[in-house]
Amino acid sequence: MAVVTGNSNLVYDHFDITATPPDPEVARGRLVLSTGSVANAGTDSSGSKYHLANVPSNALVHEDTFFGVASWGFAQVVIGTETDTDALVDQTKATENVVTPFAVADANHGKRWWEVLGLAENPGGQLEIWAHAEANATGAGSMTFRIAYIMP
């Protein structure tokens, strides 16, 4: 067997003009945390939608993203974009009180928001994150959330 010495994607030879330096977001990005809440009325019906936040399309997702759904007024938690309702989350509220779409070292590690939302290419600019109602509300409620991402 060979003994090798290798480098991660964060290390490159500064003296090699053909070497590509690491992506600044990956190498030295800053964590951005957007913390919010949204309320629904007990009379909200299927097809209702709630604009939660905007995220830069090229930002890296972070595992500190969560949705606190214990008091959400719908039985189903459906979160995505305005047109792709379940691009991020689609599960029953009974599954857990806090929905975490990203876990430490999961398959989304190092991916950008446009990728995890299932877009074919980076559209640039901001992506809107929406919660959707697939059925009538079971009662008035609210959802807290934190959307975390890494920027250069």
Side-chain angles (χ1 to χ4, degrees):
M1 298 211 139
V3 174
V4 298
T5 300
N7 295 325
S8 77
N9 63 328
L10 301 179
V11 178
Y12 78 107
D13 183 350
H14 295 272
F15 299 107
D16 180 355
I17 61 170
T18 64
T20 304
D23 184 327
E25 290 154 352
V26 175
R28 289 177 179 75
R30 68 180 166 86
L31 181 61
V32 177
L33 302 172
S34 298
T35 303
S37 63
V38 63
N40 73 280
T43 55
D44 292 357
S45 60
S46 178
S48 296
K49 58 187 178 182
Y50 310 86
H51 188 178
L52 303 180
N54 295 335
V55 296
S57 64
N58 67 331
L60 298 170
V61 300
H62 193 275
E63 62 271 6
D64 283 349
T65 297
F66 73 80
F67 302 92
V69 298
S71 298
W72 188 226
F74 296 94
Q76 192 76 6
V77 179
V78 184
I79 301 170
T81 65
E82 187 173 18
T83 56
D84 188 353
T85 60
D86 60 358
L88 195 58
V89 174
D90 189 356
Q91 69 182 56
T92 62
K93 186 171 83 172
T95 306
E96 54 191 314
N97 288 333
V98 178
V99 175
T100 53
F102 314 118
V104 173
D106 72 358
N108 291 314
H109 179 80
K111 289 191 177 176
R112 308 210 180 253
W113 272 92
W114 69 268
E115 293 175 293
V116 300
L117 292 172
L119 302 175
E121 62 184 358
N122 184 356
Q126 300 284 311
L127 297 173
E128 297 179 348
I129 306 299
W130 290 75
H132 296 268
E134 289 185 337
N136 294 342
T138 57
S142 63
M143 173 176 31
T144 58
F145 60 89
R146 179 171 59 214
I147 297 178
Y149 53 91
I150 300 172
M151 289 298 297

